[in-house]
C-alpha cells in the first residue's frame, strides 16, 4: 500500500523504502522502456512527469509467499512530456490494472503489470499502435 501511496502522492524520494535498488520493472507502458535492474525508478519518474495528477487506488490486495497482487484503478491527466509518448493531450484517463510484485526482504524486487492499454490510448486521444 505504501508504494502506491508514494506514487500517488508523487513522493519519489520515498520509493527506496518500498523498492529494492535493483528492482526490475517488466511493465511496458510504452515500447522501449528498459527492464534492467534499477530502471524502474526512472520509469516511474518519467510517468509521473507525463501524468499529473496520477493516482492509483488499490481496490484489492492479495499476498502469498513472495508475491503480492494488487487490482487497482489508475486515474490521471496527460499533461506532461515523456520521451516515448505523444505530445501531451491534456485529456484524462481511468483504467483498471493488475500489478504483480515479487518481494524479498520487505522490498519489491520485480514488477509486472497489465492494463487496458488500448483503452488508455483511446481515452487520451493517441494514435492506435500499428502492427508490423
Amino acid at each position: 500500500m505504501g508504494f502506491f501511496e508514494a506514487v500517488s502522492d508523487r513522493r519519489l524520494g520515498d520509493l527506496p523504502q518500498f523498492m529494492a535498488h535493483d528492482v526490475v520493472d517488466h511493465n511496458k507502458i510504452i515500447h522501449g522502456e528498459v527492464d534492467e535492474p534499477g530502471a524502474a525508478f526512472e520509469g516511474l519518474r518519467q510517468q509521473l512527469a507525463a501524468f499529473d495528477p496520477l493516482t492509483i487506488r488499490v481496490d484489492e490486495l492479495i499476498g502469498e509467499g513472495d508475491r503480492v497482487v494488487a487490482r487497482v484503478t489508475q486515474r490521471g491527466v496527460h499533461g506532461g512530456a515523456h520521451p516515448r509518448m505523444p505530445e501531451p493531450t491534456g485529456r484524462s484517463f481511468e483504467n483498471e490494472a493488475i500489478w504483480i510484485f515479487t518481494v524479498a526482504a520487505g522490498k519489491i524486487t520485480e514488477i509486472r503489470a497489465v492494463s487496458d492499454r488500448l483503452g488508455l490510448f483511446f481515452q487520451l486521444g493517441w494514435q492506435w499502435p500499428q502492427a508490423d
Side-chain angles (χ1 to χ4, degrees):
M1 291 293 296
F3 168 80
F4 290 115
E5 291 167 0
V7 171
S8 293
D9 293 342
R10 309 181 84 72
R11 292 181 285 127
L12 293 173
D14 289 354
L15 292 181
Q17 294 177 39
F18 308 106
M19 298 184 345
H21 75 281
D22 58 350
V23 61
V24 175
D25 184 354
H26 302 284
N27 184 25
K28 301 296 182 204
I29 296 292
I30 303 297
H31 176 73
E33 292 175 328
V34 296
D35 61 357
E36 63 191 31
F41 290 96
E42 178 60 14
L44 285 167
R45 188 201 64 74
Q46 288 179 353
Q47 289 182 35
L48 287 174
F51 298 114
D52 188 7
L54 173 68
T55 59
I56 305 173
R57 183 187 74 218
V58 176
D59 300 314
E60 190 171 0
L61 196 62
I62 302 166
E64 182 177 317
D66 67 348
R67 297 289 171 96
V68 176
V69 177
R71 183 177 59 82
V72 303
T73 301
Q74 304 172 140
R75 293 184 180 93
V77 175
H78 183 216
H82 187 287
R84 287 174 304 284
M85 290 182 189
E87 290 296 314
T89 62
R91 293 175 67 172
S92 63
F93 76 93
E94 176 178 313
N95 70 350
E96 191 173 84
I98 304 293
W99 291 60
I100 303 170
F101 301 110
T102 302
V103 179
K107 293 196 177 190
I108 299 165
T109 59
E110 282 188 283
I111 302 170
R112 296 184 186 277
V114 294
S115 66
D116 176 12
R117 292 190 181 102
L118 289 179
L120 174 74
F121 278 52
F122 179 75
Q123 292 177 63
L124 295 179
W126 293 356
Q127 294 295 312
W128 294 98
Q130 300 299 311
D132 294 336

